[in-house]
Amino acid sequence: EVQLVESGGGLVQPGGSLRVSCVASGFTFSSYWMSWVRQAPGKGLEWVANIKQDGTEKYYVDSVKGRFTISRDNAKNSLYLQMNSLRAEDTAVFYCGRVVGANYFDYWGQGTLVTVSS
Amino acid sequence: EIVLTQSPATLSLSPGERATLSCRASQSVSSYLAWYQQKPGQAPRLLIYDASNRATGIPARFSGSGSGTDFTLTISSLEPEDFAVYYCQQRTNWPPIFTFGPGTKVDIK
């Protein structure tokens, strides 16, 4: 059974940093692109970043470029999102997602809530 | 940047009725479009990929159609568990970035 389990969310002050993690199981993690998608409270879905199987390619939505860094550790079946210079508008549930066929998200974690507030 | 527009924003229907949801892209995405269902407090679930292919385990009452810029998700007969928010999604060819539509909420009339 494919499972994605996020962790690391919490309350952080504006300008602060946080790293969220996602542990994968039930599939060959190193064979898939992976992504982070977020959802602000009461709002829609927003893709944040994705990373190639070997970590050599990474892409970001414009609003997080230069502040967020996606990474992975295939030996640990883990995906990470390092978030720096956090803003109130980054408050959201962050989901990790497995990318299938390079185009879509076929499995999602349950999400971890990041709240940026003083 | 490709922008996805969904209509209507809210669709109020009764169980057993047919639901027709629209997604329009600002430029052609060929058939590379997906639909997701999201219920409150849950992660999204992939329903349809490549515009018309049902994902694993998705009931036959869900169908997708369209290509280019205009796409439709149809739920042939609404079940109580189908009342949710539905998002369309596409990926640009290069760089590989993803965008979602704003969503259509299907609620009980």
Side-chain angles (χ1 to χ4, degrees):
Chain A
E1 179 193 5
V2 172
Q3 283 197 314
L4 299 169
V5 179
E6 301 96 336
S7 62
L11 176 64
V12 61
Q13 292 189 336
S17 298
L18 199 66
R19 189 178 85 155
V20 292
S21 304
C22 170
V23 177
S25 61
F27 66 101
T28 304
F29 180 73
S30 59
S31 296
Y32 289 85
W33 283 76
M34 297 294 295
S35 280
W36 288 99
V37 175
R38 67 182 176 182
Q39 186 169 36
K43 302 298 184 182
L45 301 169
E46 180 184 42
W47 168 79
V48 174
N50 60 2
I51 185 168
K52 193 177 179 180
Q53 291 92 329
D54 60 2
T56 57
E57 294 182 36
K58 306 174 184 181
Y59 301 93
Y60 301 90
V61 68
D62 284 348
S63 59
V64 309
K65 283 180 182 176
R67 300 190 300 123
F68 289 12
T69 302
I70 189 172
S71 63
R72 65 192 296 163
D73 184 337
N74 287 341
K76 295 182 178 180
N77 290 341
S78 293
L79 177 72
Y80 307 102
L81 187 67
Q82 176 67 44
M83 301 181 286
N84 299 331
S85 302
L86 282 160
R87 308 165 180 167
E89 55 265 35
D90 295 317
T91 294
V93 174
F94 283 75
Y95 295 100
C96 68
R98 189 178 83 165
V99 182
V100 65
N103 292 323
Y104 314 116
F105 310 101
D106 64 343
Y107 285 95
W108 301 64
Q110 85 289 349
T112 188
L113 177 62
V114 173
T115 303
V116 184
S117 174
S118 55
Chain B
E1 177 189 349
I2 297 177
V3 177
L4 297 177
T5 305
Q6 291 186 243
S7 62
T10 303
L11 194 54
S12 297
L13 295 168
S14 301
E17 289 193 295
R18 182 184 189 89
T20 303
L21 289 66
S22 174
C23 177
R24 177 165 290 179
S26 59
Q27 57 186 279
S28 177
V29 298
S30 185
S31 295
Y32 298 120
L33 188 108
W35 290 93
Y36 299 84
Q37 177 193 65
Q38 188 180 33
K39 297 178 183 179
Q42 296 185 17
R45 177 174 70 146
L46 177 65
L47 297 176
I48 301 288
Y49 66 94
D50 289 346
S52 61
N53 295 304
R54 275 190 302 277
T56 303
I58 301 304
R61 63 182 181 272
F62 292 93
S63 64
S65 64
S67 65
T69 61
D70 291 301
F71 300 87
T72 301
L73 174 70
T74 302
I75 310 171
S76 60
S77 178
L78 283 164
E79 297 288 339
E81 62 268 27
D82 298 337
F83 292 93
V85 180
Y86 293 83
Y87 296 95
C88 56
Q89 173 257 315
Q90 67 83 34
R91 193 210 86 173
T92 57
N93 191 34
W94 197 262
I97 64 173
F98 299 79
T99 54
F100 290 90
T104 290
K105 182 178 182 180
V106 178
D107 65 14
I108 300 177
K109 187 174 181 180

